[in-house]
Amino acid sequence: MSTGRGQQYTGQASASETARLTIAQAVQDALNVEMERDPSIIVLGEDVGLNGGVFRATDGLFERFGPDRVMDTPLAEDAIIGASVGLAVTGMRPVAEIQFMGFVYPAVNQILAHAARMRNRTRGRLTVPMVIRMPYGGGIHAPESHSESYEALFVHSPGIKVVVPSNPYDTKGLLISAIRDEDPVMFLEPKRIYRAFREPVPPGSYTVPLGTAAIARQGSDVTIIAWGAMVRVCLDAASALEREGISAEVIDLRTLNPLDRDTLLASVTKTGRAVVVHEAPRTAGVGAEIVALINERALLQLEAPVERVTGFDTVFPYAKLEKHYLPNRERISAAVRRTLEF
Amino acid sequence: MSTGRGQQYTGQASASETARLTIAQAVQDALNVEMERDPSIIVLGEDVGLNGGVFRATDGLFERFGPDRVMDTPLAEDAIIGASVGLAVTGMRPVAEIQFMGFVYPAVNQILAHAARMRNRTRGRLTVPMVIRMPYGGGIHAPESHSESYEALFVHSPGIKVVVPSNPYDTKGLLISAIRDEDPVMFLEPKRIYRAFREPVPPGSYTVPLGTAAIARQGSDVTIIAWGAMVRVCLDAASALEREGISAEVIDLRTLNPLDRDTLLASVTKTGRAVVVHEAPRTAGVGAEIVALINERALLQLEAPVERVTGFDTVFPYAKLEKHYLPNRERISAAVRRTLEF
Amino acid sequence: MPRKPIHSCTVERLEILGPDGALDASLMPDLDEATIVELYRTMVRMRVFDDKAVKLQRQGRMGTWAQLKGQEAVQAGVAHAMIEDDWLIPAFREHGLMFLRGVPGHLIYAYWAGDERGASFPEGVRCLPIAVPVGSQFTHGSGIGLSLKLRGEHAAAVTFGGDGATSEGDFHEALNFAGVFDTNTVFIIQNNQWAISMPRERQTSSPTLAQKADAYGIPGLQVDGNDVFAVYVAATEALERARSGGGPSLIEAVTYRLGDHTTADDASRYRTGEELAHWQEQDPIPRLRRYLEERNLWDDERERTLEEDAAKWVAAEVDAMNAMPPPDPGDIFRYMYASMPPALAGQLAGLTQEVDR
Amino acid sequence: MPRKPIHSCTVERLEILGPDGALDASLMPDLDEATIVELYRTMVRMRVFDDKAVKLQRQGRMGTWAQLKGQEAVQAGVAHAMIEDDWLIPAFREHGLMFLRGVPGHLIYAYWAGDERGASFPEGVRCLPIAVPVGSQFTHGSGIGLSLKLRGEHAAAVTFGGDGATSEGDFHEALNFAGVFDTNTVFIIQNNQWAISMPRERQTSSPTLAQKADAYGIPGLQVDGNDVFAVYVAATEALERARSGGGPSLIEAVTYRLGDHTTADDASRYRTGEELAHWQEQDPIPRLRRYLEERNLWDDERERTLEEDAAKWVAAEVDAMNAMPPPDPGDIFRYMYASMPPALAGQLAGLTQEVDR
Ligand SMILES: Cc1ncc(C[n+]2csc(CCOP(=O)(O)OP(=O)(O)O)c2C)c(N)n1
Ligand SMILES: Cc1ncc(C[n+]2csc(CCOP(=O)(O)OP(=O)(O)O)c2C)c(N)n1
Ligand SMILES: [Mg+2]
Ligand SMILES: [Mg+2]
């Protein structure tokens, strides 16, 4: 196995000890482990090969698995996803990368009209087991169109699962589940924390099931609901709130479709208060769905309106102003206080 | 002015009397009136010229305004919208047609990444006054992909207004407002009722403002909120409910972005109960946003959870099963009763 | 020479059996008489199958139907060039190809009558469901062609589209992808001169569609699509190349849509009777019949028998469609995911309750 | 001849001033000495402007920068062929063109430093903001070209893209649209051999990018993009044709990205030092300098002065950028719509409160 040119980490499929990995490395690790296991898995996308991906999430795969399994494609998102549909219906398991979520739009037709519908349209005869990975979200002072969080578009579209990890352990386990899933899965990687921290990640293969939320922090006064990069911000807010004597439970949804309603509703029923946090614009974001769910299932347990702390209904601002856009500890804490003071 | 070949109606821009028109004819009438007024308006799309549009909504325009103002384009939605962006930034006012909402996906990149953002990105220097018309929704036993209601995708995307008329009078007035608007407007035409009924439509020019809802029916026990083709179904349900002694107010939102929160919240505050109805899938649909709004602004006035009567979280079924999918009078009435019995 | 030529291309057209019955014997493929007769039978069966669907639609027993009338030679010629392991990636007008590839006629009818079960083909039939968004199937053809190549299968992905579909970005991305990865794909454009009301000449400014292949560094050929021999030869050559690792190619089959775009369309709004009459003379079926008759391989008697047989077959397919039990509303939910998420099960339970009531 | 040729195309390459200094005088455009010197000055200013941006980025004073280094001849040659009424539709690497078209340098810097005000060009500057989604600008060029045509303006829409961008569906739809409506558009591909880590040869299988024009029935030409004379001649011809109703065309300018893809990239991961060295010998700036020197139009003294002037200008632009007041957070909201909807005003009020606190 080549060590590649300069990357720090080349996958621990053959390692036997738990290593401390970043989220980007956990992605790489999951791909290594799974590609080793199942020769029908193919990685394809722009710059995923020799270059190892612009965030190095596919680093070393090309050297290890060769050009027939790690394919640098032309600059054409519609073809990347459309070809993946063709690969998947004929028995391959493509893991396609879209370089940034802002560049998924040209592939929306293939995702919504084909990948998400093939099983239904053919009454189960043809299926599309594929993963569409992409970095999403703001916070890294990236150029325009590089900071999108448009998960709501896909959560609203039946037939495609949407998964968003918030830490390295889950990243590996969820990505392995996504690859093994028999249906298309959109896998959104929080690029803001791609390399922000390391956590122990076991070697070899393990799964974190799709469709189950995690209680990232126990609490009793209020439930904060988030996913992806926002989970850490919420945990941070929860710590700060603790010093004020407020006990916040933080739920990391992990999968946005299907939603783990039970975990969510159990927590809100217990605390009677909820704050949903996301980076995407407020209107018709996934936060609205969560408020609607709570309204439908736990209205009588609510002590206060569910608060939403979200991006604005504006274009994601370019680097100089982006800090004003993203939900932060103060906004989350203020929303929590509002639910308590209601 | 040519009378075209066989169409029943050729626009009443020069007529002086109110005529009884269908929604499709009201579209045609608005286009006639506005194109007459403003030579910078151009209609473009697939089959909009000689063929007059697959629903005849642009019938007669080609004969009247000629090929430089009514342009049959190649079969390429991305180009239709992208070229319209180019036309609009240089002073034309394109009214683009997408043949069915199910075929807007290839143009999503142009709509979300360009049309909706140009004003913001250039800090007001360049603007995109354009209208994107398209028939949407189910109920006509159309082929697959011809029954979509994906308004939520666009409502979630800042920078583009979303308008959905429910009757001929509003269709004309809203479309004229949309054409005159300085920003891009997505204009969704309820094809199920394109020709279902006629209503008096005044000749010449008048506007119905964007961003204001209508109270389609007054009531005191519950507020039913809908748009487009669902408004009539809701009115129907309201009549049936009246016979049970239930007084339902029906709100026709007309514009989904920006939402007329005041009208909506005033009604719900008055009735204490609400049911939102839409054809689109339930999860993360526009209905969720409305529930979230009510939760935020009128929680204490609520006597029962807001109900959602929507399409399922499935692919829109093909003709034989579509009747099971679409919200109907019974489902709406049952939801209303649930809010009363809560 | 002031500017240096650095690339040139030539696009050829292949014709073997002309509308006037003239045959270029030097190009004639090696087909025995029985096969040629079978090609003819096949084309007539397509016509009968198609006509029946239009009738069913008029009677309110079918939703919308996209007529294949006039395009039988393309579909028979290509089908005959295909081998069992090849995949068919249709647009939406390839009914003839579909039944020749093993999709039962009653399923094709059932599909267009509004029933998804019609797109649930029998096990082993290597065919995608039709693609409703125009052009969106092209990239599937590239992906399937890549898949076949990676697995080392001696098979090709036969990918169809219309003249209108060549304007979509998918066409471009798919052919480019296929060219870069040398996939086992053959793209076949049924250039039937119209995309609903848009004539071929205004769909694109290139004089041929075949020349678009050169943009992707792959071979392109135009054939007379109403000449089943020319189609067969072109398809055989391209398919064999694709199967054996020689890479993708593009075939433009020039034909004509003799019917309306669909049963929801009225073509007389946008095209002339003269044009239609001109193309009726190019009709591939009489053309091949004349060939057979001149060689004493066909006569009125056989024609009658064929028509009777075809009518019987089609009637049986209609019966089979009618014999299908009504679709279960639960099917709306059952095939969304490999296993149904709880919220969806809840929605299904609600519907079941309603239906049972 | 078995198959009838029905179409042929030839793609030519235009070179005037070779890397070795050889000049094809017969093709040399009618440019006076002062103009040629000015073209040189312009190219050096681009290089200095570009280098400064990279330095600013290294110092943490700029977000990301996409270097134009090596592509100066394309940008100078095209800019010189443009007239005031022409529109520029850039991709994202056309900084040189942008400042030549009237976008102040400090705005270009400000933009890449993360400030949308940098895309708010002065009144009258006919230039779109850069397009971040690769290829998405092509259709704007078609629309603007159509707009100019419909208004009868003697002007063209000069639309840029990279070699990578030609793979996007937008490229195809845009060129086809332009071909069908004969818009006043010129598409210019800066083929700099790389799309991030993807070499030109694997981006598409066609031996040239220029030949893609033939798919749309429009003229295509390849030029040596490091030869400012060739670029100027090709652009002048295509622009004049477009302005005067002769329709769109495609120019492939073969050049090289001498820098990394952006300051976030490390090109040594995927390309060799030998390749880079080869292309450094093709550098358009020394090439034109040698031409001038051979004709006694240039010397070290003038070079020094030019470099000093350029450095001063660039320093002034940096100062101007630094002198911009910080952007107002309210700007996030202010330009979403012509008039702000109430809900948005509410969100702005919330932010203003926070900021004021
Ligand atoms: C993306 C998309 N846009 C528009 C349509 C509507 N539509 C259906 S068929 C058709 C014309 C197709 O023309 P062509 O590709 O030549 O195929 P043909 O119908 O002639 O077989 C159009 C515009 C569609 N189905 N999909
Ligand atoms: C739709 C889209 N996909 C991916 C990207 C990421 N990206 C930015 S530049 C680039 C390569 C562009 O190559 P080319 O068109 O040759 O232009 P160059 O960078 O060489 O000037 C890529 C893949 C993007 N910006 N937009
Ligand atoms: Mg056609
Ligand atoms: Mg490039």
Side-chain angles (χ1 to χ4, degrees):
Chain A
M1 178 180 149
S2 148
T3 56
R5 285 143 296 92
Q7 75 272 28
Q8 295 149 333
Y9 175 76
T10 55
Q12 55 172 184
S14 48
S16 56
E17 265 173 59
T18 291
R20 294 180 61 81
L21 305 185
T22 63
I23 287 179
Q25 288 169 337
V27 168
Q28 192 187 345
D29 196 32
L31 292 171
N32 265 292
V33 169
E34 285 298 283
M35 290 182 77
E36 191 69 38
R37 183 187 58 80
D38 181 352
S40 66
I41 298 169
I42 285 187
V43 164
L44 73 168
E46 294 155 15
D47 308 293
V48 297
L50 202 54
N51 199 35
V54 290
F55 288 102
R56 307 287 173 257
T58 56
D59 207 13
L61 296 179
F62 180 79
E63 288 79 359
R64 183 166 180 179
F65 297 103
D68 277 359
R69 296 193 58 200
V70 184
M71 305 184 116
D72 277 321
T73 64
L75 215 177
E77 288 76 11
D78 179 63
I80 293 171
I81 304 303
S84 295
V85 170
L87 287 161
V89 293
T90 51
M92 310 298 283
R93 294 186 97 89
V95 180
E97 177 177 306
I98 297 290
Q99 208 160 68
F100 287 86
M101 192 170 203
F103 308 135
V104 75
Y105 302 139
V108 160
N109 194 33
Q110 285 298 332
I111 299 172
L112 303 199
H114 284 294
R117 297 187 194 189
M118 190 64 82
R119 178 189 292 276
N120 178 285
R121 295 185 65 218
T122 62
R123 293 304 189 236
R125 174 63 73 201
L126 296 174
T127 61
V128 181
M130 69 189 263
V131 178
I132 310 175
R133 293 179 42 242
M134 66 191 78
Y136 89 96
I140 63 160
H141 298 299
E144 288 184 292
S145 288
H146 285 70
S147 302
E148 323 261 316
S149 288
Y150 276 14
E151 62 273 15
L153 272 61
F154 302 99
V155 171
H156 183 56
S157 305
I160 180 145
K161 296 180 181 171
V162 181
V163 176
V164 197
S166 71
N167 60 58
Y169 180 90
D170 283 355
T171 297
K172 180 171 172 184
L174 288 168
L175 183 50
I176 292 179
S177 292
I179 292 172
R180 296 182 185 178
D181 199 89
E182 295 301 329
D183 290 302
V185 179
M186 184 147 255
F187 194 82
L188 306 180
E189 299 168 6
K191 65 168 140 349
R192 181 186 188 175
I193 53 172
Y194 250 150
R195 285 186 264 249
F197 60 102
R198 290 169 185 270
E199 270 182 7
V201 171
S205 154
Y206 66 92
T207 58
V208 173
L210 307 189
T212 60
I215 298 179
R217 179 193 168 107
Q218 305 262 1
S220 52
D221 295 332
V222 59
T223 303
I224 306 179
I225 300 145
W227 52 92
M230 284 295 116
V231 171
R232 275 165 67 86
V233 183
C234 293
L235 288 171
D236 202 20
S239 302
L241 287 164
E242 186 167 43
R243 293 190 284 276
E244 298 176 28
I246 299 170
S247 163
E249 181 144 305
V250 177
I251 300 212
D252 177 357
L253 284 178
R254 300 199 293 200
T255 301
L256 299 180
N257 180 34
L259 272 172
D260 180 354
R261 304 161 155 224
D262 291 346
T263 301
L264 185 69
L265 292 169
S267 176
V268 177
T269 303
K270 177 178 81 177
T271 62
R273 293 176 175 87
V275 175
V276 200
V277 180
H278 60 65
E279 295 183 39
R282 180 187 197 80
T283 296
V286 175
E289 176 60 33
I290 290 164
V291 180
L293 268 180
I294 295 172
N295 169 289
E296 280 158 9
R297 304 302 185 87
L299 185 68
L300 294 184
Q301 284 76 44
L302 275 189
E303 308 280 350
V306 182
E307 289 273 338
R308 287 187 283 175
V309 181
T310 67
F312 304 124
D313 286 318
T314 66
V315 175
F316 192 99
Y318 199 177
K320 295 234 168 181
L321 292 174
E322 82 170 299
K323 69 168 181 289
H324 297 291
Y325 185 89
L326 288 169
N328 55 27
R329 189 174 65 188
E330 289 68 39
R331 278 185 206 158
I332 297 165
S333 303
V336 164
R337 282 185 221 107
R338 282 196 299 277
T339 67
L340 284 153
E341 288 156 14
F342 182 75
Chain B
M1 179 182 148
S2 146
T3 55
R5 287 145 293 93
Q7 76 271 31
Q8 295 150 331
Y9 174 76
T10 56
Q12 55 173 183
S14 47
S16 56
E17 266 173 61
T18 291
R20 294 180 60 81
L21 305 184
T22 63
I23 287 180
Q25 289 169 338
V27 168
Q28 192 188 343
D29 196 31
L31 293 170
N32 266 291
V33 168
E34 286 297 284
M35 290 183 78
E36 191 69 38
R37 181 186 60 78
D38 180 351
S40 67
I41 298 169
I42 285 187
V43 164
L44 73 168
E46 294 156 14
D47 307 292
V48 297
L50 201 56
N51 198 35
V54 290
F55 288 101
R56 307 288 173 256
T58 57
D59 207 13
L61 295 178
F62 180 79
E63 288 81 358
R64 183 167 181 179
F65 298 103
D68 276 0
R69 296 193 58 201
V70 184
M71 307 184 113
D72 277 320
T73 64
L75 215 178
E77 288 75 13
D78 179 64
I80 293 171
I81 303 303
S84 295
V85 169
L87 288 161
V89 293
T90 52
M92 310 299 283
R93 293 186 97 89
V95 180
E97 177 177 306
I98 297 290
Q99 207 158 67
F100 286 86
M101 191 169 204
F103 308 135
V104 75
Y105 302 138
V108 160
N109 194 32
Q110 285 298 332
I111 298 173
L112 303 198
H114 285 294
R117 297 187 194 189
M118 190 64 82
R119 178 189 292 275
N120 179 284
R121 296 185 65 218
T122 63
R123 293 304 188 235
R125 175 63 74 200
L126 296 175
T127 60
V128 181
M130 70 188 264
V131 178
I132 309 174
R133 294 178 42 242
M134 66 191 77
Y136 89 96
I140 64 160
H141 298 300
E144 288 185 290
S145 287
H146 285 69
S147 302
E148 323 261 319
S149 288
Y150 275 14
E151 62 273 15
L153 273 60
F154 301 99
V155 171
H156 183 55
S157 305
I160 180 143
K161 296 180 181 172
V162 181
V163 176
V164 198
S166 71
N167 60 57
Y169 180 91
D170 283 356
T171 297
K172 180 171 172 184
L174 288 167
L175 183 51
I176 292 179
S177 292
I179 291 171
R180 296 182 185 178
D181 200 89
E182 295 301 329
D183 290 302
V185 179
M186 184 146 254
F187 195 82
L188 306 180
E189 300 169 6
K191 65 166 143 346
R192 181 186 186 175
I193 53 172
Y194 250 149
R195 285 186 263 251
F197 61 103
R198 291 167 185 271
E199 268 182 7
V201 172
S205 157
Y206 67 93
T207 58
V208 172
L210 307 188
T212 61
I215 299 180
R217 178 193 170 109
Q218 307 261 2
S220 53
D221 295 332
V222 59
T223 303
I224 306 179
I225 300 144
W227 52 92
M230 284 295 116
V231 172
R232 277 166 65 87
V233 182
C234 293
L235 287 170
D236 201 21
S239 302
L241 288 164
E242 187 167 40
R243 292 190 284 278
E244 298 176 27
I246 299 170
S247 164
E249 181 144 303
V250 177
I251 300 210
D252 176 358
L253 284 178
R254 300 200 293 202
T255 301
L256 299 180
N257 180 33
L259 272 174
D260 180 355
R261 303 162 158 225
D262 292 346
T263 301
L264 185 69
L265 293 169
S267 175
V268 177
T269 304
K270 178 179 81 177
T271 62
R273 294 176 175 88
V275 175
V276 200
V277 180
H278 61 65
E279 295 184 40
R282 181 188 197 80
T283 296
V286 176
E289 176 60 32
I290 289 164
V291 180
L293 269 180
I294 295 172
N295 170 288
E296 280 158 10
R297 304 301 185 87
L299 186 68
L300 295 184
Q301 285 76 43
L302 275 189
E303 308 281 349
V306 183
E307 288 274 339
R308 288 186 281 174
V309 181
T310 67
F312 304 124
D313 286 318
T314 66
V315 175
F316 191 100
Y318 198 179
K320 295 234 168 184
L321 292 173
E322 82 169 299
K323 68 169 183 289
H324 297 292
Y325 185 89
L326 288 169
N328 56 27
R329 188 173 67 188
E330 290 65 40
R331 278 183 206 159
I332 296 165
S333 304
V336 164
R337 280 184 223 109
R338 283 196 298 275
T339 67
L340 284 153
E341 289 156 13
F342 182 75
Chain C
M1 186 167 37
R3 295 168 183 208
K4 195 170 63 187
I6 50 169
H7 172 75
S8 69
C9 82
T10 306
V11 179
E12 295 177 329
R13 177 180 165 102
L14 178 63
E15 295 171 4
I16 298 176
L17 176 64
D20 51 356
L23 184 82
D24 186 335
S26 74
L27 297 174
M28 186 62 191
D30 188 21
L31 292 172
D32 60 29
E33 292 180 346
T35 303
I36 299 176
V37 168
E38 189 48 35
L39 280 171
Y40 180 74
R41 285 181 198 278
T42 295
M43 286 162 62
V44 172
R45 286 164 70 219
M46 286 185 201
R47 179 80 42 109
V48 174
F49 186 77
D50 192 63
D51 284 345
K52 182 68 186 183
V54 176
K55 280 193 206 99
L56 289 171
Q57 200 280 338
R58 300 252 155 82
Q59 295 161 1
R61 293 156 72 199
M62 164 114 14
T64 309
W65 179 259
Q67 288 183 258
L68 74 84
K69 188 176 178 179
Q71 306 181 208
E72 293 86 354
V74 186
Q75 303 196 21
V78 172
H80 193 68
M82 288 175 74
I83 61 173
E84 192 174 341
D85 284 347
D86 290 340
W87 270 85
L88 174 65
I89 297 95
F92 51 84
R93 209 182 283 285
E94 286 75 26
H95 321 301
L97 263 152
M98 285 170 75
F99 73 64
L100 291 173
R101 296 298 299 163
V103 181
H106 75 279
L107 287 188
I108 301 175
Y109 282 162
Y111 175 83
W112 289 87
D115 189 336
E116 288 92 343
R117 288 174 303 172
S120 184
F121 306 149
E123 180 77 47
V125 171
R126 291 188 150 193
C127 180
L128 287 196
I130 72 159
V132 178
V134 167
S136 58
Q137 71 281 10
F138 289 122
T139 52
H140 305 163
S142 307
I144 293 178
L146 176 59
S147 183
L148 295 171
K149 179 184 167 173
L150 292 173
R151 294 150 176 277
E153 290 196 38
H154 185 75
V158 185
T159 311
F160 274 82
D163 44 314
T166 65
S167 293
E168 291 281 2
D170 307 79
F171 172 82
H172 177 74
E173 297 198 15
L175 270 74
N176 194 52
F177 189 99
V180 164
F181 291 110
D182 254 335
T183 66
N184 297 13
T185 312
V186 176
F187 298 97
I188 301 179
I189 300 301
Q190 294 205 60
N191 170 7
N192 64 5
Q193 313 301 326
W194 291 91
I196 308 187
S197 72
M198 189 65 150
R200 153 66 191 86
E201 298 70 42
R202 287 196 289 127
Q203 190 64 247
T204 181
S205 275
S206 71
T208 73
L209 301 179
Q211 77 199 69
K212 293 181 190 286
D214 192 52
Y216 314 104
I218 68 174
L221 178 70
Q222 189 184 79
V223 296
D224 180 346
N226 288 354
D227 168 357
V228 69
F229 299 141
V231 172
Y232 170 75
V233 169
T236 301
E237 182 184 296
L239 283 170
E240 197 36 54
R241 184 167 52 230
R243 288 182 202 117
S244 54
S249 50
L250 173 70
I251 295 172
E252 174 193 6
V254 178
T255 178
Y256 195 78
R257 190 193 81 204
L258 288 174
D260 294 328
H261 169 67
T262 65
T263 47
D265 177 53
D266 171 9
S268 72
R269 286 179 67 92
Y270 50 78
R271 68 185 190 188
T272 63
E274 297 84 73
E275 177 180 311
L276 186 60
H278 164 79
W279 279 96
Q280 264 153 349
E281 283 160 30
Q282 322 283 314
D283 189 333
I285 293 183
R287 190 188 300 191
L288 186 57
R289 180 172 172 176
R290 198 175 324 131
Y291 172 93
L292 294 177
E293 282 173 348
E294 280 167 9
R295 283 157 189 79
N296 282 323
L297 296 169
W298 202 252
D299 54 29
D300 288 352
E301 172 62 28
R302 283 185 245 200
E303 182 78 15
R304 237 186 336 271
T305 316
L306 170 57
E307 273 172 14
E308 280 166 24
D309 288 354
K312 258 185 237 156
W313 164 63
V314 156
E317 297 294 349
V318 174
D319 289 346
M321 165 177 74
N322 292 335
M324 286 169 74
D328 176 355
D331 284 358
I332 296 172
F333 296 86
R334 222 157 265 143
Y335 303 98
M336 285 306 301
Y337 304 94
S339 70
M340 202 182 297
L344 205 53
Q347 294 182 10
L348 170 56
L351 176 62
T352 310
Q353 244 181 14
E354 262 183 38
V355 174
D356 290 349
R357 209 179 292 135
Chain D
M1 188 165 39
R3 294 166 184 210
K4 195 170 61 187
I6 50 169
H7 171 76
S8 71
C9 82
T10 306
V11 178
E12 294 177 331
R13 179 179 165 101
L14 178 63
E15 296 172 4
I16 297 176
L17 177 64
D20 50 356
L23 184 81
D24 185 335
S26 74
L27 296 175
M28 185 65 191
D30 187 20
L31 292 170
D32 59 29
E33 291 180 346
T35 303
I36 299 177
V37 168
E38 189 47 36
L39 280 171
Y40 179 74
R41 284 183 198 279
T42 295
M43 286 162 60
V44 172
R45 286 164 69 220
M46 286 185 201
R47 179 80 42 110
V48 174
F49 186 78
D50 191 62
D51 283 346
K52 183 69 186 181
V54 175
K55 280 194 205 97
L56 289 170
Q57 200 280 338
R58 301 253 156 82
Q59 294 161 2
R61 294 156 71 200
M62 165 114 12
T64 309
W65 180 260
Q67 288 182 260
L68 74 84
K69 187 173 178 180
Q71 306 182 206
E72 292 86 355
V74 186
Q75 303 197 21
V78 172
H80 193 68
M82 287 175 76
I83 60 174
E84 193 173 342
D85 282 348
D86 290 341
W87 270 85
L88 174 65
I89 297 97
F92 51 83
R93 209 182 284 284
E94 286 75 26
H95 322 300
L97 264 152
M98 285 171 75
F99 74 65
L100 291 172
R101 296 297 300 162
V103 180
H106 75 278
L107 287 189
I108 300 175
Y109 282 162
Y111 175 84
W112 289 87
D115 190 337
E116 288 93 344
R117 289 174 303 173
S120 185
F121 306 149
E123 181 76 48
V125 171
R126 291 188 149 194
C127 180
L128 287 196
I130 72 160
V132 178
V134 166
S136 58
Q137 72 281 9
F138 288 122
T139 53
H140 306 161
S142 307
I144 293 178
L146 176 59
S147 183
L148 295 170
K149 179 184 168 173
L150 291 173
R151 295 149 176 278
E153 290 196 38
H154 185 75
V158 184
T159 311
F160 274 82
D163 45 311
T166 64
S167 293
E168 291 280 2
D170 307 78
F171 172 82
H172 177 73
E173 297 198 14
L175 271 75
N176 193 51
F177 189 99
V180 164
F181 291 111
D182 255 337
T183 66
N184 297 13
T185 312
V186 175
F187 298 96
I188 301 179
I189 300 302
Q190 294 205 61
N191 170 7
N192 64 5
Q193 312 303 325
W194 291 91
I196 309 185
S197 72
M198 188 65 150
R200 153 67 190 86
E201 298 70 43
R202 285 196 290 128
Q203 191 63 245
T204 181
S205 276
S206 71
T208 74
L209 302 179
Q211 78 201 68
K212 293 181 189 286
D214 192 52
Y216 314 105
I218 67 174
L221 178 70
Q222 189 185 80
V223 297
D224 179 346
N226 288 354
D227 168 357
V228 70
F229 300 141
V231 172
Y232 170 75
V233 169
T236 301
E237 181 185 297
L239 283 170
E240 198 35 55
R241 184 166 54 229
R243 289 183 201 117
S244 54
S249 51
L250 173 70
I251 295 172
E252 174 192 4
V254 178
T255 178
Y256 195 78
R257 190 192 82 207
L258 288 174
D260 293 329
H261 170 66
T262 65
T263 46
D265 177 52
D266 171 9
S268 73
R269 286 178 67 90
Y270 51 78
R271 67 186 191 188
T272 64
E274 296 85 72
E275 177 180 311
L276 186 60
H278 166 77
W279 279 96
Q280 263 153 351
E281 282 160 31
Q282 321 284 314
D283 189 333
I285 293 183
R287 190 189 301 191
L288 185 57
R289 180 172 172 175
R290 196 175 327 131
Y291 172 93
L292 294 176
E293 282 174 347
E294 280 166 9
R295 284 156 189 79
N296 283 322
L297 296 169
W298 202 253
D299 55 29
D300 288 352
E301 172 62 27
R302 284 186 244 200
E303 183 77 15
R304 240 188 331 274
T305 315
L306 171 58
E307 273 173 14
E308 280 167 23
D309 288 355
K312 259 186 235 154
W313 163 65
V314 156
E317 297 293 350
V318 173
D319 289 347
M321 165 176 76
N322 291 336
M324 287 170 74
D328 176 356
D331 284 358
I332 296 172
F333 297 85
R334 224 157 262 143
Y335 302 99
M336 284 306 301
Y337 304 94
S339 71
M340 203 183 296
L344 205 53
Q347 294 182 11
L348 169 56
L351 176 62
T352 311
Q353 246 182 12
E354 262 184 37
V355 173
D356 290 351
R357 209 180 293 137

